[in-house]
Amino acid sequence: MKKLQAPRGTLDVLPQDARRRLKVIATADEVLSRAGYEPMETPVFEDTEVFARGVGESTDIVQKEMFTFEDKAGRSLTLRPEATAGICRAYIEHGMHKLAQPVKVWYAGPFFRHEAPQAGRFRQFTQIDAEAIGSDDPSLDAELILLLDEILELAGTGPRRLRLSSLGSRDTRAEYLEELKRFLRAREDELSEEVRARIDQNPLRAFDADHPGTQAVMKEAPLLLDRLAADDAEHFAAVRALLDMAGIEHELDPTLVRGLDYYTRTVFEFESDRLGAQAALGGGGRYDGLIEELGGPPTPGVGFAAGIERILLAAGDVTPERQPTVFIAMAKPDSGRLAFQLAGLLRREGFRTEMEQAGRSMKGQLKQADRVGAYATVILGDTIEVKDMSSGEQQEASSPADVPSLLRSVHEREASAT
Ligand code: HAM
């Protein structure tokens, strides 16, 4: 029979990694809720239009990377390639502009992009995403950068670089894009074919090109940062001043191009040398026109997303923490019911408890107790014995109800010995 495998570019998360992921999510929850961000969830698929309009028709994401399908009524649906457009759709749909602003939300879940799979790049991946919608205060831009930095630090990703830029307002950007197009057209024969083909659609992408000729041209290209309108430049200066005050180093990178069209003003990305070609741990920025683009009232917003797979890749392998565990062994085959009952009692009392469930010999059971890292084994035979696994000492319990207090004293002895 054909061997079945997970689809290309997807990942089976086995228990040890799954536990590490939960920890990263718990860390994000802790860090983000301290700053007033509340969890929120939107569907895994949306009307395709949410992304076509939100992320932008000219982006690689919309043009090449979406998993789009039709439902039975012929409506076009798409597995979400990112969270921001869906969250903004929900903000409009639920009239969240009537709530106290800014609305601060965060989210962790699966996202889908049909990219060529490689290390750190998957077709199904997991993002932690945070958004602050309804205010253009520069402290929100700086706050989100700080919060992402703290999550990455606590998750153990090690040293990272923060690239920062501002894309200005839509008008400035539109004027600048015309200027850039004129510049690119004038030097067309020096550019790569791909860049040339997309001068009209996405001239900014030229800054990202690997092609040496294009790179040489782009060294002389006009920069958007030099064209910012006064209020945008002021906003950007305020964000930078707050980052400086918080001691967050950043590289000003006027060529920072993000793969989504909705950005205005601040854009940023954290990179790690531990990641190879897919160096971005996370990134984001401001999207002051997105809600309007999706049919809502003019509403500013800013946010970030970070990939959990990349965070764990950068954090490297860590030995899983051993949880204090109790093992219940059976010296007599007819102790099964008592073992089951005692396991329930101990679990209700808060003990992490495992019991023999594979018909092993007594020797095999003690080996299994070691394997699960048990500090104590309860042995059910003619009597009920509590065995301290490090000293080997055994104590008899007068009844099942007596077991918890004996376990507590073994655990305390262990804890004070370490
Ligand atoms: P993004 O830069 O497209 O931004 O993705 C954010 C992060 O998701 C990346 O830095 C990376 O860690 C992870 N990621 C993206 N694609 C993949 C993939 N194929 N495989 C593994 N990890 C991946 C956004 O998605 C924006 N929605 C961020 C944002 C929120 N901007 C404002 N608010």
Side-chain angles (χ1 to χ4, degrees), residues 61 82-84 113 115 120-122 125 127 129-131 258 260 262-263 269 280-285 287 302-307 309-310:
I61 294 183
E82 62 103 53
T84 316
R113 292 184 195 175
E115 297 190 85
R121 188 157 81 189
F122 304 95
F125 55 98
Q127 277 186 348
D129 178 279
E131 313 287 349
R258 310 251 318 122
L260 306 112
Y262 49 62
Y263 291 114
E269 214 158 76
L281 287 164
Y287 45 87
V302 55
F304 71 69
E309 291 78 10
R310 294 204 192 155

PDB file of all heavy atoms in Angstrom, residues 61 82-84 113 115 120-122 125 127 129-131 258 260 262-263 269 280-285 287 302-307 309-310, ligand 1:
ATOM      1  N   ILE A  61       2.032  37.250  -2.452  1.00  0.00           N
ATOM      2  CA  ILE A  61       1.087  36.449  -1.666  1.00  0.00           C
ATOM      3  C   ILE A  61      -0.204  36.246  -2.453  1.00  0.00           C
ATOM      4  O   ILE A  61      -0.667  35.117  -2.627  1.00  0.00           O
ATOM      5  CB  ILE A  61       0.800  37.116  -0.291  1.00  0.00           C
ATOM      6  CG1 ILE A  61       2.069  37.115   0.569  1.00  0.00           C
ATOM      7  CG2 ILE A  61      -0.350  36.407   0.431  1.00  0.00           C
ATOM      8  CD1 ILE A  61       1.904  37.677   1.965  1.00  0.00           C
ATOM      9  N   GLU A  82      -2.294  35.300   6.177  1.00  0.00           N
ATOM     10  CA  GLU A  82      -1.836  36.178   7.253  1.00  0.00           C
ATOM     11  C   GLU A  82      -3.062  36.615   8.044  1.00  0.00           C
ATOM     12  O   GLU A  82      -4.206  36.352   7.625  1.00  0.00           O
ATOM     13  CB  GLU A  82      -1.089  37.385   6.677  1.00  0.00           C
ATOM     14  CG  GLU A  82      -1.914  38.273   5.778  1.00  0.00           C
ATOM     15  CD  GLU A  82      -2.360  39.541   6.462  1.00  0.00           C
ATOM     16  OE1 GLU A  82      -1.505  40.249   7.007  1.00  0.00           O
ATOM     17  OE2 GLU A  82      -3.579  39.834   6.446  1.00  0.00           O
ATOM     18  N   ALA A  83      -2.836  37.279   9.207  1.00  0.00           N
ATOM     19  CA  ALA A  83      -3.952  37.533  10.117  1.00  0.00           C
ATOM     20  C   ALA A  83      -4.572  38.924  10.002  1.00  0.00           C
ATOM     21  O   ALA A  83      -5.761  39.102  10.279  1.00  0.00           O
ATOM     22  CB  ALA A  83      -3.474  37.327  11.554  1.00  0.00           C
ATOM     23  N   THR A  84      -3.769  39.909   9.591  1.00  0.00           N
ATOM     24  CA  THR A  84      -4.196  41.306   9.730  1.00  0.00           C
ATOM     25  C   THR A  84      -5.481  41.619   8.954  1.00  0.00           C
ATOM     26  O   THR A  84      -6.396  42.249   9.503  1.00  0.00           O
ATOM     27  CB  THR A  84      -3.053  42.243   9.270  1.00  0.00           C
ATOM     28  OG1 THR A  84      -1.845  41.730   9.821  1.00  0.00           O
ATOM     29  CG2 THR A  84      -3.268  43.654   9.737  1.00  0.00           C
ATOM     30  N   ARG A 113       0.647  29.547   2.994  1.00  0.00           N
ATOM     31  CA  ARG A 113       1.160  30.220   1.788  1.00  0.00           C
ATOM     32  C   ARG A 113       1.787  29.153   0.894  1.00  0.00           C
ATOM     33  O   ARG A 113       2.588  28.348   1.380  1.00  0.00           O
ATOM     34  CB  ARG A 113       2.232  31.273   2.156  1.00  0.00           C
ATOM     35  CG  ARG A 113       1.653  32.451   2.919  1.00  0.00           C
ATOM     36  CD  ARG A 113       2.679  33.532   3.186  1.00  0.00           C
ATOM     37  NE  ARG A 113       2.166  34.445   4.213  1.00  0.00           N
ATOM     38  CZ  ARG A 113       2.839  35.444   4.755  1.00  0.00           C
ATOM     39  NH1 ARG A 113       4.084  35.691   4.360  1.00  0.00           N
ATOM     40  NH2 ARG A 113       2.300  36.203   5.680  1.00  0.00           N
ATOM     41  N   GLU A 115       4.331  28.528  -0.911  1.00  0.00           N
ATOM     42  CA  GLU A 115       5.696  28.941  -1.246  1.00  0.00           C
ATOM     43  C   GLU A 115       6.527  27.688  -1.481  1.00  0.00           C
ATOM     44  O   GLU A 115       6.125  26.585  -1.104  1.00  0.00           O
ATOM     45  CB  GLU A 115       6.306  29.713  -0.087  1.00  0.00           C
ATOM     46  CG  GLU A 115       5.565  31.003   0.233  1.00  0.00           C
ATOM     47  CD  GLU A 115       6.326  31.868   1.219  1.00  0.00           C
ATOM     48  OE1 GLU A 115       7.199  32.622   0.756  1.00  0.00           O
ATOM     49  OE2 GLU A 115       6.063  31.790   2.424  1.00  0.00           O
ATOM     50  N   GLY A 120      12.776  26.658   7.431  1.00  0.00           N
ATOM     51  CA  GLY A 120      12.112  27.845   7.980  1.00  0.00           C
ATOM     52  C   GLY A 120      10.997  28.396   7.105  1.00  0.00           C
ATOM     53  O   GLY A 120      10.400  29.416   7.429  1.00  0.00           O
ATOM     54  N   ARG A 121      10.720  27.726   5.980  1.00  0.00           N
ATOM     55  CA  ARG A 121       9.616  28.203   5.134  1.00  0.00           C
ATOM     56  C   ARG A 121       8.680  27.044   4.831  1.00  0.00           C
ATOM     57  O   ARG A 121       9.075  26.054   4.223  1.00  0.00           O
ATOM     58  CB  ARG A 121      10.150  28.811   3.852  1.00  0.00           C
ATOM     59  CG  ARG A 121       9.039  29.477   3.054  1.00  0.00           C
ATOM     60  CD  ARG A 121       9.570  30.519   2.129  1.00  0.00           C
ATOM     61  NE  ARG A 121      10.070  29.884   0.926  1.00  0.00           N
ATOM     62  CZ  ARG A 121      10.764  30.511  -0.018  1.00  0.00           C
ATOM     63  NH1 ARG A 121      11.071  31.782   0.132  1.00  0.00           N
ATOM     64  NH2 ARG A 121      11.166  29.883  -1.082  1.00  0.00           N
ATOM     65  N   PHE A 122       7.463  27.181   5.269  1.00  0.00           N
ATOM     66  CA  PHE A 122       6.488  26.104   5.137  1.00  0.00           C
ATOM     67  C   PHE A 122       5.244  26.597   4.407  1.00  0.00           C
ATOM     68  O   PHE A 122       5.042  27.787   4.261  1.00  0.00           O
ATOM     69  CB  PHE A 122       6.087  25.603   6.531  1.00  0.00           C
ATOM     70  CG  PHE A 122       7.258  25.164   7.355  1.00  0.00           C
ATOM     71  CD1 PHE A 122       7.849  26.035   8.252  1.00  0.00           C
ATOM     72  CD2 PHE A 122       7.806  23.904   7.199  1.00  0.00           C
ATOM     73  CE1 PHE A 122       8.953  25.652   9.000  1.00  0.00           C
ATOM     74  CE2 PHE A 122       8.905  23.507   7.929  1.00  0.00           C
ATOM     75  CZ  PHE A 122       9.485  24.379   8.833  1.00  0.00           C
ATOM     76  N   PHE A 125       2.179  27.275   8.408  1.00  0.00           N
ATOM     77  CA  PHE A 125       3.060  27.701   9.489  1.00  0.00           C
ATOM     78  C   PHE A 125       2.205  28.376  10.547  1.00  0.00           C
ATOM     79  O   PHE A 125       1.005  28.555  10.362  1.00  0.00           O
ATOM     80  CB  PHE A 125       4.156  28.636   8.950  1.00  0.00           C
ATOM     81  CG  PHE A 125       3.616  29.831   8.204  1.00  0.00           C
ATOM     82  CD1 PHE A 125       3.474  31.060   8.822  1.00  0.00           C
ATOM     83  CD2 PHE A 125       3.222  29.711   6.874  1.00  0.00           C
ATOM     84  CE1 PHE A 125       2.956  32.154   8.134  1.00  0.00           C
ATOM     85  CE2 PHE A 125       2.702  30.804   6.186  1.00  0.00           C
ATOM     86  CZ  PHE A 125       2.571  32.025   6.810  1.00  0.00           C
ATOM     87  N   GLN A 127       1.675  31.566  13.221  1.00  0.00           N
ATOM     88  CA  GLN A 127       2.092  32.924  13.587  1.00  0.00           C
ATOM     89  C   GLN A 127       1.523  33.332  14.937  1.00  0.00           C
ATOM     90  O   GLN A 127       0.404  32.961  15.285  1.00  0.00           O
ATOM     91  CB  GLN A 127       1.554  33.942  12.569  1.00  0.00           C
ATOM     92  CG  GLN A 127       2.370  34.096  11.314  1.00  0.00           C
ATOM     93  CD  GLN A 127       1.851  35.232  10.418  1.00  0.00           C
ATOM     94  OE1 GLN A 127       0.764  35.755  10.633  1.00  0.00           O
ATOM     95  NE2 GLN A 127       2.625  35.592   9.426  1.00  0.00           N
ATOM     96  N   ASP A 129       0.407  36.837  16.304  1.00  0.00           N
ATOM     97  CA  ASP A 129       0.107  38.111  15.652  1.00  0.00           C
ATOM     98  C   ASP A 129      -0.507  39.054  16.682  1.00  0.00           C
ATOM     99  O   ASP A 129      -1.320  38.634  17.490  1.00  0.00           O
ATOM    100  CB  ASP A 129      -0.900  37.840  14.517  1.00  0.00           C
ATOM    101  CG  ASP A 129      -1.320  39.108  13.805  1.00  0.00           C
ATOM    102  OD1 ASP A 129      -2.207  39.832  14.320  1.00  0.00           O
ATOM    103  OD2 ASP A 129      -0.758  39.382  12.732  1.00  0.00           O
ATOM    104  N   ALA A 130      -0.087  40.315  16.683  1.00  0.00           N
ATOM    105  CA  ALA A 130      -0.687  41.295  17.600  1.00  0.00           C
ATOM    106  C   ALA A 130      -1.034  42.543  16.805  1.00  0.00           C
ATOM    107  O   ALA A 130      -0.280  42.938  15.906  1.00  0.00           O
ATOM    108  CB  ALA A 130       0.287  41.626  18.720  1.00  0.00           C
ATOM    109  N   GLU A 131      -2.173  43.158  17.119  1.00  0.00           N
ATOM    110  CA  GLU A 131      -2.617  44.345  16.389  1.00  0.00           C
ATOM    111  C   GLU A 131      -3.166  45.368  17.381  1.00  0.00           C
ATOM    112  O   GLU A 131      -3.816  44.991  18.358  1.00  0.00           O
ATOM    113  CB  GLU A 131      -3.752  43.986  15.401  1.00  0.00           C
ATOM    114  CG  GLU A 131      -3.530  42.765  14.521  1.00  0.00           C
ATOM    115  CD  GLU A 131      -2.511  42.970  13.400  1.00  0.00           C
ATOM    116  OE1 GLU A 131      -2.102  44.115  13.145  1.00  0.00           O
ATOM    117  OE2 GLU A 131      -2.108  41.952  12.790  1.00  0.00           O
ATOM    118  N   ARG A 258       8.327  45.090   2.660  1.00  0.00           N
ATOM    119  CA  ARG A 258       7.536  44.015   3.242  1.00  0.00           C
ATOM    120  C   ARG A 258       6.623  43.479   2.149  1.00  0.00           C
ATOM    121  O   ARG A 258       6.243  44.203   1.244  1.00  0.00           O
ATOM    122  CB  ARG A 258       6.754  44.531   4.437  1.00  0.00           C
ATOM    123  CG  ARG A 258       7.621  45.294   5.436  1.00  0.00           C
ATOM    124  CD  ARG A 258       7.860  44.564   6.730  1.00  0.00           C
ATOM    125  NE  ARG A 258       6.697  43.914   7.214  1.00  0.00           N
ATOM    126  CZ  ARG A 258       6.624  42.582   7.445  1.00  0.00           C
ATOM    127  NH1 ARG A 258       7.672  41.815   7.240  1.00  0.00           N
ATOM    128  NH2 ARG A 258       5.523  42.049   7.910  1.00  0.00           N
ATOM    129  N   LEU A 260       3.616  42.873   1.824  1.00  0.00           N
ATOM    130  CA  LEU A 260       2.180  43.143   1.896  1.00  0.00           C
ATOM    131  C   LEU A 260       1.967  44.615   1.555  1.00  0.00           C
ATOM    132  O   LEU A 260       2.760  45.458   1.947  1.00  0.00           O
ATOM    133  CB  LEU A 260       1.658  42.848   3.307  1.00  0.00           C
ATOM    134  CG  LEU A 260       1.984  41.433   3.814  1.00  0.00           C
ATOM    135  CD1 LEU A 260       2.968  41.472   4.955  1.00  0.00           C
ATOM    136  CD2 LEU A 260       0.729  40.686   4.200  1.00  0.00           C
ATOM    137  N   TYR A 262      -0.439  46.761   2.409  1.00  0.00           N
ATOM    138  CA  TYR A 262      -1.236  47.678   3.234  1.00  0.00           C
ATOM    139  C   TYR A 262      -0.426  48.618   4.115  1.00  0.00           C
ATOM    140  O   TYR A 262      -0.977  49.475   4.787  1.00  0.00           O
ATOM    141  CB  TYR A 262      -2.250  46.910   4.090  1.00  0.00           C
ATOM    142  CG  TYR A 262      -1.747  45.717   4.886  1.00  0.00           C
ATOM    143  CD1 TYR A 262      -0.784  45.844   5.873  1.00  0.00           C
ATOM    144  CD2 TYR A 262      -2.303  44.457   4.662  1.00  0.00           C
ATOM    145  CE1 TYR A 262      -0.372  44.745   6.609  1.00  0.00           C
ATOM    146  CE2 TYR A 262      -1.895  43.351   5.394  1.00  0.00           C
ATOM    147  CZ  TYR A 262      -0.934  43.500   6.365  1.00  0.00           C
ATOM    148  OH  TYR A 262      -0.517  42.419   7.097  1.00  0.00           O
ATOM    149  N   TYR A 263       0.902  48.491   4.097  1.00  0.00           N
ATOM    150  CA  TYR A 263       1.671  49.291   5.051  1.00  0.00           C
ATOM    151  C   TYR A 263       1.740  50.768   4.712  1.00  0.00           C
ATOM    152  O   TYR A 263       1.817  51.160   3.545  1.00  0.00           O
ATOM    153  CB  TYR A 263       3.090  48.741   5.187  1.00  0.00           C
ATOM    154  CG  TYR A 263       3.115  47.405   5.886  1.00  0.00           C
ATOM    155  CD1 TYR A 263       3.513  46.243   5.230  1.00  0.00           C
ATOM    156  CD2 TYR A 263       2.712  47.302   7.217  1.00  0.00           C
ATOM    157  CE1 TYR A 263       3.515  45.018   5.869  1.00  0.00           C
ATOM    158  CE2 TYR A 263       2.712  46.072   7.868  1.00  0.00           C
ATOM    159  CZ  TYR A 263       3.111  44.936   7.189  1.00  0.00           C
ATOM    160  OH  TYR A 263       3.097  43.740   7.825  1.00  0.00           O
ATOM    161  N   GLU A 269      11.267  44.723  10.908  1.00  0.00           N
ATOM    162  CA  GLU A 269      11.478  43.286  10.813  1.00  0.00           C
ATOM    163  C   GLU A 269      12.618  42.897  11.752  1.00  0.00           C
ATOM    164  O   GLU A 269      13.637  43.591  11.800  1.00  0.00           O
ATOM    165  CB  GLU A 269      11.848  42.935   9.373  1.00  0.00           C
ATOM    166  CG  GLU A 269      11.321  41.584   8.931  1.00  0.00           C
ATOM    167  CD  GLU A 269      11.225  41.478   7.414  1.00  0.00           C
ATOM    168  OE1 GLU A 269      12.278  41.310   6.786  1.00  0.00           O
ATOM    169  OE2 GLU A 269      10.110  41.585   6.875  1.00  0.00           O
ATOM    170  N   ALA A 280      13.903  36.218   8.630  1.00  0.00           N
ATOM    171  CA  ALA A 280      12.958  37.028   9.416  1.00  0.00           C
ATOM    172  C   ALA A 280      12.269  36.207  10.501  1.00  0.00           C
ATOM    173  O   ALA A 280      11.601  35.224  10.227  1.00  0.00           O
ATOM    174  CB  ALA A 280      11.928  37.652   8.492  1.00  0.00           C
ATOM    175  N   LEU A 281      12.474  36.633  11.744  1.00  0.00           N
ATOM    176  CA  LEU A 281      11.763  36.007  12.864  1.00  0.00           C
ATOM    177  C   LEU A 281      10.334  36.537  12.928  1.00  0.00           C
ATOM    178  O   LEU A 281       9.395  35.815  13.262  1.00  0.00           O
ATOM    179  CB  LEU A 281      12.457  36.374  14.179  1.00  0.00           C
ATOM    180  CG  LEU A 281      13.784  35.718  14.482  1.00  0.00           C
ATOM    181  CD1 LEU A 281      14.498  36.482  15.599  1.00  0.00           C
ATOM    182  CD2 LEU A 281      13.570  34.267  14.899  1.00  0.00           C
ATOM    183  N   GLY A 282      10.210  37.818  12.630  1.00  0.00           N
ATOM    184  CA  GLY A 282       8.892  38.442  12.695  1.00  0.00           C
ATOM    185  C   GLY A 282       8.986  39.864  12.196  1.00  0.00           C
ATOM    186  O   GLY A 282      10.078  40.422  12.105  1.00  0.00           O
ATOM    187  N   GLY A 283       7.851  40.405  11.848  1.00  0.00           N
ATOM    188  CA  GLY A 283       7.865  41.784  11.365  1.00  0.00           C
ATOM    189  C   GLY A 283       6.465  42.345  11.338  1.00  0.00           C
ATOM    190  O   GLY A 283       5.485  41.645  11.641  1.00  0.00           O
ATOM    191  N   GLY A 284       6.376  43.605  10.966  1.00  0.00           N
ATOM    192  CA  GLY A 284       5.058  44.211  10.906  1.00  0.00           C
ATOM    193  C   GLY A 284       5.155  45.665  10.557  1.00  0.00           C
ATOM    194  O   GLY A 284       6.141  46.105   9.954  1.00  0.00           O
ATOM    195  N   GLY A 285       4.146  46.407  10.970  1.00  0.00           N
ATOM    196  CA  GLY A 285       4.139  47.828  10.677  1.00  0.00           C
ATOM    197  C   GLY A 285       2.751  48.403  10.789  1.00  0.00           C
ATOM    198  O   GLY A 285       1.804  47.740  11.237  1.00  0.00           O
ATOM    199  N   TYR A 287      -0.692  50.261   9.260  1.00  0.00           N
ATOM    200  CA  TYR A 287      -1.546  50.093   8.059  1.00  0.00           C
ATOM    201  C   TYR A 287      -2.750  51.026   8.194  1.00  0.00           C
ATOM    202  O   TYR A 287      -3.884  50.595   8.345  1.00  0.00           O
ATOM    203  CB  TYR A 287      -1.985  48.629   7.902  1.00  0.00           C
ATOM    204  CG  TYR A 287      -2.453  47.965   9.180  1.00  0.00           C
ATOM    205  CD1 TYR A 287      -3.782  48.064   9.587  1.00  0.00           C
ATOM    206  CD2 TYR A 287      -1.575  47.264   9.984  1.00  0.00           C
ATOM    207  CE1 TYR A 287      -4.218  47.478  10.763  1.00  0.00           C
ATOM    208  CE2 TYR A 287      -1.994  46.674  11.159  1.00  0.00           C
ATOM    209  CZ  TYR A 287      -3.316  46.782  11.552  1.00  0.00           C
ATOM    210  OH  TYR A 287      -3.734  46.211  12.724  1.00  0.00           O
ATOM    211  N   VAL A 302      -1.751  49.247  13.669  1.00  0.00           N
ATOM    212  CA  VAL A 302      -0.353  48.819  13.602  1.00  0.00           C
ATOM    213  C   VAL A 302      -0.257  47.433  14.249  1.00  0.00           C
ATOM    214  O   VAL A 302      -1.054  47.115  15.133  1.00  0.00           O
ATOM    215  CB  VAL A 302       0.582  49.853  14.300  1.00  0.00           C
ATOM    216  CG1 VAL A 302       0.177  50.136  15.733  1.00  0.00           C
ATOM    217  CG2 VAL A 302       2.043  49.455  14.228  1.00  0.00           C
ATOM    218  N   GLY A 303       0.686  46.610  13.772  1.00  0.00           N
ATOM    219  CA  GLY A 303       0.772  45.267  14.341  1.00  0.00           C
ATOM    220  C   GLY A 303       2.029  44.544  13.912  1.00  0.00           C
ATOM    221  O   GLY A 303       2.858  45.084  13.177  1.00  0.00           O
ATOM    222  N   PHE A 304       2.158  43.318  14.428  1.00  0.00           N
ATOM    223  CA  PHE A 304       3.282  42.474  14.010  1.00  0.00           C
ATOM    224  C   PHE A 304       2.833  41.029  13.918  1.00  0.00           C
ATOM    225  O   PHE A 304       1.791  40.667  14.478  1.00  0.00           O
ATOM    226  CB  PHE A 304       4.476  42.585  14.985  1.00  0.00           C
ATOM    227  CG  PHE A 304       4.266  41.933  16.338  1.00  0.00           C
ATOM    228  CD1 PHE A 304       4.180  40.542  16.489  1.00  0.00           C
ATOM    229  CD2 PHE A 304       4.174  42.709  17.485  1.00  0.00           C
ATOM    230  CE1 PHE A 304       4.008  39.957  17.737  1.00  0.00           C
ATOM    231  CE2 PHE A 304       3.998  42.124  18.743  1.00  0.00           C
ATOM    232  CZ  PHE A 304       3.916  40.740  18.857  1.00  0.00           C
ATOM    233  N   ALA A 305       3.619  40.212  13.234  1.00  0.00           N
ATOM    234  CA  ALA A 305       3.446  38.756  13.307  1.00  0.00           C
ATOM    235  C   ALA A 305       4.822  38.121  13.334  1.00  0.00           C
ATOM    236  O   ALA A 305       5.772  38.632  12.725  1.00  0.00           O
ATOM    237  CB  ALA A 305       2.648  38.252  12.106  1.00  0.00           C
ATOM    238  N   ALA A 306       4.925  37.012  14.076  1.00  0.00           N
ATOM    239  CA  ALA A 306       6.191  36.277  14.148  1.00  0.00           C
ATOM    240  C   ALA A 306       5.901  34.805  13.948  1.00  0.00           C
ATOM    241  O   ALA A 306       4.871  34.303  14.398  1.00  0.00           O
ATOM    242  CB  ALA A 306       6.856  36.515  15.500  1.00  0.00           C
ATOM    243  N   GLY A 307       6.783  34.112  13.253  1.00  0.00           N
ATOM    244  CA  GLY A 307       6.565  32.699  12.958  1.00  0.00           C
ATOM    245  C   GLY A 307       7.114  31.815  14.077  1.00  0.00           C
ATOM    246  O   GLY A 307       8.287  31.902  14.416  1.00  0.00           O
ATOM    247  N   GLU A 309       7.586  28.581  14.068  1.00  0.00           N
ATOM    248  CA  GLU A 309       8.583  27.606  13.594  1.00  0.00           C
ATOM    249  C   GLU A 309       9.960  28.261  13.551  1.00  0.00           C
ATOM    250  O   GLU A 309      10.958  27.639  13.933  1.00  0.00           O
ATOM    251  CB  GLU A 309       8.213  27.096  12.197  1.00  0.00           C
ATOM    252  CG  GLU A 309       6.969  26.208  12.152  1.00  0.00           C
ATOM    253  CD  GLU A 309       5.664  26.991  12.214  1.00  0.00           C
ATOM    254  OE1 GLU A 309       5.701  28.231  12.107  1.00  0.00           O
ATOM    255  OE2 GLU A 309       4.604  26.353  12.392  1.00  0.00           O
ATOM    256  N   ARG A 310      10.012  29.516  13.095  1.00  0.00           N
ATOM    257  CA  ARG A 310      11.317  30.203  13.009  1.00  0.00           C
ATOM    258  C   ARG A 310      11.836  30.550  14.393  1.00  0.00           C
ATOM    259  O   ARG A 310      13.043  30.506  14.626  1.00  0.00           O
ATOM    260  CB  ARG A 310      11.187  31.472  12.170  1.00  0.00           C
ATOM    261  CG  ARG A 310      10.875  31.101  10.738  1.00  0.00           C
ATOM    262  CD  ARG A 310      11.290  32.154   9.774  1.00  0.00           C
ATOM    263  NE  ARG A 310      10.702  31.839   8.479  1.00  0.00           N
ATOM    264  CZ  ARG A 310      10.446  32.721   7.549  1.00  0.00           C
ATOM    265  NH1 ARG A 310      10.717  34.001   7.756  1.00  0.00           N
ATOM    266  NH2 ARG A 310       9.917  32.343   6.396  1.00  0.00           N
TER     267      ARG A 310
HETATM  268  P1  HAM B   1       4.977  38.582   7.288  1.00  0.00           P
HETATM  269  O1  HAM B   1       6.291  39.267   7.330  1.00  0.00           O
HETATM  270  O2  HAM B   1       4.464  38.159   5.981  1.00  0.00           O
HETATM  271  O3  HAM B   1       3.965  39.569   8.003  1.00  0.00           O
HETATM  272  O4  HAM B   1       5.018  37.317   8.220  1.00  0.00           O
HETATM  273  C1  HAM B   1       5.403  37.438   9.569  1.00  0.00           C
HETATM  274  C2  HAM B   1       6.280  36.279   9.979  1.00  0.00           C
HETATM  275  O5  HAM B   1       5.627  35.038   9.713  1.00  0.00           O
HETATM  276  C3  HAM B   1       7.593  36.165   9.224  1.00  0.00           C
HETATM  277  O6  HAM B   1       8.554  37.038   9.746  1.00  0.00           O
HETATM  278  C4  HAM B   1       7.954  34.709   9.478  1.00  0.00           C
HETATM  279  O7  HAM B   1       8.515  34.538  10.768  1.00  0.00           O
HETATM  280  C5  HAM B   1       6.586  34.040   9.452  1.00  0.00           C
HETATM  281  N1  HAM B   1       6.328  33.442   8.131  1.00  0.00           N
HETATM  282  C6  HAM B   1       5.831  34.038   7.037  1.00  0.00           C
HETATM  283  N2  HAM B   1       5.744  33.164   6.009  1.00  0.00           N
HETATM  284  C7  HAM B   1       6.211  31.981   6.469  1.00  0.00           C
HETATM  285  C8  HAM B   1       6.369  30.675   5.898  1.00  0.00           C
HETATM  286  N3  HAM B   1       6.014  30.408   4.642  1.00  0.00           N
HETATM  287  N4  HAM B   1       6.895  29.695   6.681  1.00  0.00           N
HETATM  288  C9  HAM B   1       7.244  29.942   7.964  1.00  0.00           C
HETATM  289  N5  HAM B   1       7.102  31.155   8.558  1.00  0.00           N
HETATM  290  C10 HAM B   1       6.585  32.160   7.827  1.00  0.00           C
HETATM  291  C11 HAM B   1       2.637  39.330   8.130  1.00  0.00           C
HETATM  292  O8  HAM B   1       2.116  38.255   7.977  1.00  0.00           O
HETATM  293  C12 HAM B   1       1.850  40.547   8.612  1.00  0.00           C
HETATM  294  N6  HAM B   1       0.431  40.150   8.716  1.00  0.00           N
HETATM  295  C13 HAM B   1       2.392  41.055   9.924  1.00  0.00           C
HETATM  296  C14 HAM B   1       1.619  42.208  10.461  1.00  0.00           C
HETATM  297  C15 HAM B   1       0.703  42.186  11.444  1.00  0.00           C
HETATM  298  N7  HAM B   1       1.692  43.450  10.014  1.00  0.00           N
HETATM  299  C16 HAM B   1       0.846  44.211  10.700  1.00  0.00           C
HETATM  300  N8  HAM B   1       0.222  43.435  11.568  1.00  0.00           N
END
